[in-house]
Amino acid sequence: MTEHDENSAGWRSPKRVVGTPSPAESRYTLGQAEPPSPKTPVIEGVEPRDEGKGAERVVALCFLITFLAGIAFIVFYVMFQVGTIEKAQISNLALGGTLALALLALATGVTVWVRAIMPKYHLVQERHPLVSDEATRDEVGSTFLQGAAESGIPKRRLLRRTLLLAVAPLGLLPLVLLKDLGPLPGTVLRHTVWGKKTKEGKERRLIIEGTGNPIRAANFNSPGGILSVVPEGYEHDLNELAKSTLILIKFRPEELKAGTNKNWTVDGIVAYSKICTHVGCPTALYEQTTHHILCPCHQSTFDATDGARVIFGPAARPLPQLPLGLDAEGYLVAKGDFPVPPGPSFWERGDAEAEVRAKGGHA
Amino acid sequence: MKSITARRRHPLARYAVLFLALLLFGGGYAFLAPVGGKADASIAQGANAVDDIAEGKKIFEATCASCHGVNAEGTAMGPSLIGVGAASVDFQISTGRMPAAAPAAQMPRKAIAPVFELPLDQRKPGQPTIDTKKVAQVAAFIQSLGGGPTVPTDADVDPATGNAAKGGELFRANCIQCHNFVGSGGALTGGKHAPDLGKASAKEIYEAMITGPQAMPVFNDSVITPQEKRDMIAYILAVQNQPHPGGASLGVIGPVTEGLAAWVVGIGLLVLAAIWITAKRRQVND
C-alpha cells in the first residue's frame, strides 16, 4: 500500500464496503492492515471457528475427487471412441458423468469451505432513503420551470406545433421498416398444389408418404385402412406439406353420412386434410371401430364418416375434404383444391365456409 | 437410533427426508418398472385340413362362441368373425387378448389363456407354452368361414431382410401418431389406447398391420408391401433392443416423463443445494 493511497483513503473510500462487517462490530475495514495476531482475533458478534481440521479434510477430499474426475474425463475421452450410436451413447455417459462429478465435487468443496471454515458473523447493512433532500428538489424544480419559461414553449404556439410536426415522422419510421421483415403471405395460405395440374398437365396423383408410390384405388381396398398422403412432385417440400398433407381413409360406402361429399369420394375412399383446424397439428390418430380422427395435441376429435365433423375438443371447423377422382390408369388423383383453406385460422381467412356455401358449393 | 433422535430436529432433516423419499420412489420405479421381454415368433403353421377345421370348430364352440356366436356371426357381446382371417385369430390368441377376461373398451395383452396352453407334460423349459396346434385349428375354422388375411410365414416376417432405416421412415409416416416414435404406445378416445410395441414379436406386428385388430386401421399388402412391412418390423425390433446406457429410459414417451424428472428430481436437487448453501447455522444463544 503506497503513501498516497493511505492519505487519500480518508475521503475517497466509502465508510464501509458492502459485505464487510460494520465498524460498530468490527474494528477493521477493507484497506486497513490487521494487527498481527497469532490467534484468531476475538471480535464482538463474530463466532470464532475452530481450526476446521475436519472440514478442511472434507474440502480437500472434494478437490481430490475433482482432480481424479478431471483426469478420468481425459482418459475416457481417449478410451471411448465414437462412430456408432451405441459407442456415442457410452462416450456421452462417461464424459458427462465425469464432468458432472468434477464440477459437483468442486462446488461442494468450495461451499463447505465457506460454510465450515470461514468465520461467521451477523452483518447489519445500513440503508438510506434514495430520495434527495428538500432543498435540492426545490432547486431542480425551479431551474426546470425557469428554463421552460425562458424557452417560451407555453407562449410560442408556432414553434411548439412545428416541433411536434418535425418529430412525428421519426416516430413512424420503425413501422415502415417492418415491411422488410419478409414478403407478405398474399394468398399462399388459401391454396395448395392439389389445385394445380402437374408440369405434364395431368391431374396430380396422391403419393403414399414414406414409400413414394402412387395409390391405385383398387389396391386400397381394405375397409378400415388409412394412409398418410402427400402430393406428387412435392413429396419433400416441407412448406407445401405443411398445408397439403392428407389422410386417406377407406370406408364401406354405406358407412358414409351426409356430412361427407360423396361426389368427392372414390368407392368409399375419402381424403381429409391432415392438418388440424385448431392449431395445425398432424391429426391422424384414426380408430377404425369408431371412425374417430383424434388430434394428439389438444384431443380435438373428428367424425371421419360425417365430413370430419368436430365431435369433441377445441377445433372449430371440420377437416377440409379433398375432391378425389381416378386417372386413366386407375390411380387416385386430386380433382381440385380444398374448397376452403386447410389448417388453422389466420387473419385474412374470414368465413371461408360461408363464402363457399353462398356460391352453392360444399365446404 | 439415538443418533437419529438427536438429529431429527436438525434444520436440514426435513430436506434430507424429502431427498431420500424422492430417491426411494425414483429408484424404486426404475427397479420395478417392467423390462420388455420378447415373445417367440416361431408358431408352427397348421395345415388347413378338414379335420383341423372340424377340431377348430369344437374349440371355438367351447371357448369363443359365447360372445362371437355359434357360427361366428357375432352377438351383442362380440363382433362377427366372418372374413377376419386366420391371421387375426393367431394375433388375438397368441398375444393373450382373446379369449377376453371381461368386456372392456379394449382387450389388453395378457398371458395366454390356459385353454390354449400346452398340457404340462408337453411343455419344454425355455419354450413358449402356447399350443400352436390348437390355435392353428381355430384359425383354420375361421379362415374356412369367409377367407381373410392368412398367417404370415417366418420368411414373410424375417426382420433380417428388412431395412430398419427405411422402416423408420415408414413408421414415422404411418404409425407414430398412435404408437409413439419408438413404439411406446399412447392414449386414444373413450378409454382405448394404442399398445406398447415393446413386447410385440415380428409376426404379431405383421399380423396387426394386415388385420387391424380392435381400433387399429388396416395396412394391407397392396398399399404397404410385404417388403415395406419387413422394413418396419426391422425398425421396431431395432428400437426394442436399443440399449439405454444412462440407465433410465423413462418409458421413452417423450417430454412428459422427461419433464417430470427434470422438474421434480432436477429442480428439487437444485433447491436443496440452494438451501444448503445459504442455510444459517443454528446458534445456541439466539
Side-chain angles (χ1 to χ4, degrees):
Chain A
M1 205 172 267
T2 63
E3 184 92 339
H4 174 74
D5 279 342
E6 201 125 45
N7 290 340
S8 59
W11 62 274
R12 256 179 66 195
S13 63
K15 290 228 168 70
R16 201 165 55 74
V17 175
V18 172
T20 61
S22 84
E25 291 169 55
S26 165
R27 272 167 264 139
Y28 310 111
T29 54
L30 201 69
Q32 283 182 319
E34 292 188 23
S37 162
K39 287 180 181 176
T40 315
V42 180
I43 306 165
E44 194 186 341
V46 175
E47 263 187 278
R49 313 300 289 264
D50 60 4
E51 290 305 303
K53 279 287 171 208
E56 199 177 341
R57 275 195 288 272
V58 172
V59 176
L61 179 68
C62 286
F63 290 168
L64 204 63
I65 290 172
T66 303
F67 168 76
L68 292 176
I71 299 285
F73 181 94
I74 298 168
V75 171
F76 289 158
Y77 185 85
V78 179
M79 222 165 92
F80 298 119
Q81 293 298 317
V82 294
T84 66
I85 291 176
E86 285 78 15
K87 284 179 173 178
Q89 284 177 326
I90 292 168
S91 173
N92 279 351
L93 179 69
L95 298 186
T98 49
L99 192 60
L101 182 66
L103 296 178
L104 189 67
L106 189 65
T108 309
V110 171
T111 309
V112 172
W113 188 342
V114 172
R115 285 180 55 82
I117 298 176
M118 284 172 70
K120 207 174 171 73
Y121 40 76
H122 288 283
L123 185 69
V124 178
Q125 196 177 0
E126 288 171 23
R127 300 268 169 92
H128 303 284
L130 287 171
V131 67
S132 307
D133 60 60
E134 202 60 31
T136 313
R137 287 159 67 196
D138 287 348
E139 174 74 17
V140 171
S142 58
T143 312
F144 179 80
L145 290 175
Q146 189 191 349
E150 284 173 3
S151 73
I153 281 269
K155 292 190 297 203
R156 296 180 193 276
R157 203 185 283 167
L158 177 69
L159 286 183
R160 194 170 71 216
R161 289 186 177 175
T162 48
L163 176 64
L164 285 176
L165 188 70
V167 295
L170 292 176
L172 292 175
L173 286 187
L175 293 179
V176 180
L177 295 179
L178 285 179
K179 192 181 179 301
D180 283 334
L181 286 178
L184 290 170
T187 58
V188 290
L189 293 174
R190 305 194 85 88
H191 306 292
T192 68
V193 288
W194 291 118
K196 293 183 209 152
K197 304 262 166 131
T198 59
K199 279 179 208 152
E200 296 82 35
K202 291 179 182 164
E203 286 162 316
R204 201 171 290 279
R205 281 179 178 170
L206 277 65
I207 303 291
I208 304 176
E209 186 182 2
T211 72
N213 298 324
I215 308 150
R216 214 184 272 276
N219 284 342
F220 187 50
N221 54 4
S222 302
I226 181 176
L227 285 174
S228 187
V229 166
V230 293
E232 179 185 10
Y234 290 83
E235 290 89 344
H236 303 287
D237 181 342
L238 294 181
N239 279 339
E240 187 53 44
L241 294 184
K243 53 184 181 174
S244 58
T245 308
L246 302 176
I247 44 175
L248 195 67
I249 306 177
K250 166 77 179 177
F251 296 99
R252 291 179 183 86
E254 67 271 16
E255 288 170 337
L256 292 173
K257 295 180 197 154
T260 312
N261 186 339
K262 289 181 191 167
N263 294 332
W264 293 349
T265 67
V266 173
D267 197 20
I269 299 173
V270 187
Y272 293 115
S273 165
K274 193 181 180 179
I275 319 297
C276 185
T277 54
H278 176 221
V279 285
C281 291
T283 131
L285 284 77
Y286 175 63
E287 299 173 4
Q288 67 137 323
T289 42
T290 56
H291 308 299
H292 289 172
I293 303 168
L294 175 69
C295 180
C297 292
H298 306 101
Q299 284 69 53
S300 291
T301 309
F302 306 89
D303 184 350
T305 55
D306 198 8
R309 181 171 59 89
V310 183
I311 50 176
F312 179 78
R317 298 185 300 273
L319 301 169
Q321 188 188 346
L322 187 80
L324 287 184
L326 291 177
D327 67 6
E329 294 168 63
Y331 288 105
L332 287 169
V333 293
K335 283 289 184 188
D337 203 351
F338 293 110
V340 292
S345 299
F346 50 93
W347 186 269
E348 301 88 350
R349 189 179 189 278
D351 192 351
E353 283 76 12
E355 288 166 30
V356 171
R357 279 194 297 270
K359 287 179 197 158
H362 189 290
Chain B
M1 205 61 210
K2 214 171 183 182
S3 67
I4 291 177
T5 314
R7 284 176 192 163
R8 68 177 181 191
R9 292 193 185 281
H10 189 275
L12 290 183
R14 72 189 89 156
Y15 303 111
V17 168
L18 188 64
F19 175 69
L20 284 177
L22 281 175
L23 209 67
L24 185 72
F25 278 98
Y29 176 76
F31 184 72
L32 291 175
V35 194
K38 255 183 104 244
D40 200 299
S42 56
I43 299 168
Q45 304 295 310
N48 202 347
V50 179
D51 348 335
D52 274 350
I53 294 172
E55 213 39 57
K57 188 169 166 51
K58 276 186 207 159
I59 304 169
F60 182 88
E61 281 165 352
T63 318
C64 322
S66 57
C67 297
H68 290 292
V70 182
N71 297 310
E73 74 279 15
T75 69
M77 295 282 289
S80 162
L81 299 184
I82 295 165
V84 300
S88 191
V89 176
D90 189 50
F91 175 86
Q92 298 285 356
I93 296 178
S94 64
T95 61
R97 286 181 167 85
M98 289 287 151
Q106 185 166 336
M107 301 309 161
R109 187 188 187 96
K110 59 182 189 297
I112 293 153
V115 61
F116 289 109
E117 280 191 311
L118 285 168
L120 282 172
D121 54 333
Q122 289 176 32
R123 292 185 197 174
K124 291 175 194 139
Q127 295 285 318
T129 57
I130 186 166
D131 189 341
T132 51
K133 193 157 178 256
K134 270 187 168 179
V135 179
Q137 284 165 343
V138 178
F141 168 64
I142 295 296
Q143 187 75 30
S144 74
L145 295 178
T150 53
V151 178
T153 64
D154 285 347
D156 284 339
V157 301
D158 186 3
T161 59
N163 175 350
K166 181 78 188 149
E169 202 181 323
L170 285 163
F171 190 78
R172 284 189 290 278
N174 293 299
C175 317
I176 64 165
Q177 55 264 47
C178 299
H179 284 291
N180 150 303
F181 42 87
V182 289
S184 296
L188 294 172
T189 65
K192 295 185 284 297
H193 68 278
D196 180 3
L197 303 182
K199 288 181 185 154
S201 69
K203 190 181 184 191
E204 288 161 15
I205 298 165
Y206 197 104
E207 286 170 345
M209 283 191 275
I210 54 174
T211 63
Q214 304 189 40
M216 178 167 161
V218 184
F219 298 90
N220 68 13
D221 281 348
S222 51
V223 285
I224 302 285
T225 64
Q227 180 57 47
E228 286 161 353
K229 289 194 169 77
R230 281 193 290 276
D231 292 345
M232 283 197 261
I233 289 169
Y235 172 78
I236 296 167
L237 296 187
V239 293
Q240 277 179 4
N241 298 321
Q242 189 172 269
H244 298 285
S249 67
L250 298 178
V252 281
I253 57 169
V256 175
T257 50
E258 286 162 22
L260 192 70
W263 278 91
V264 175
V265 181
I267 296 189
L269 284 175
L270 287 180
V271 167
L272 289 179
I275 289 170
W276 174 60
I277 289 170
T278 57
K280 271 187 178 175
R281 186 167 287 221
R282 182 164 291 190
Q283 288 182 343
V284 185
N285 295 330
D286 269 5

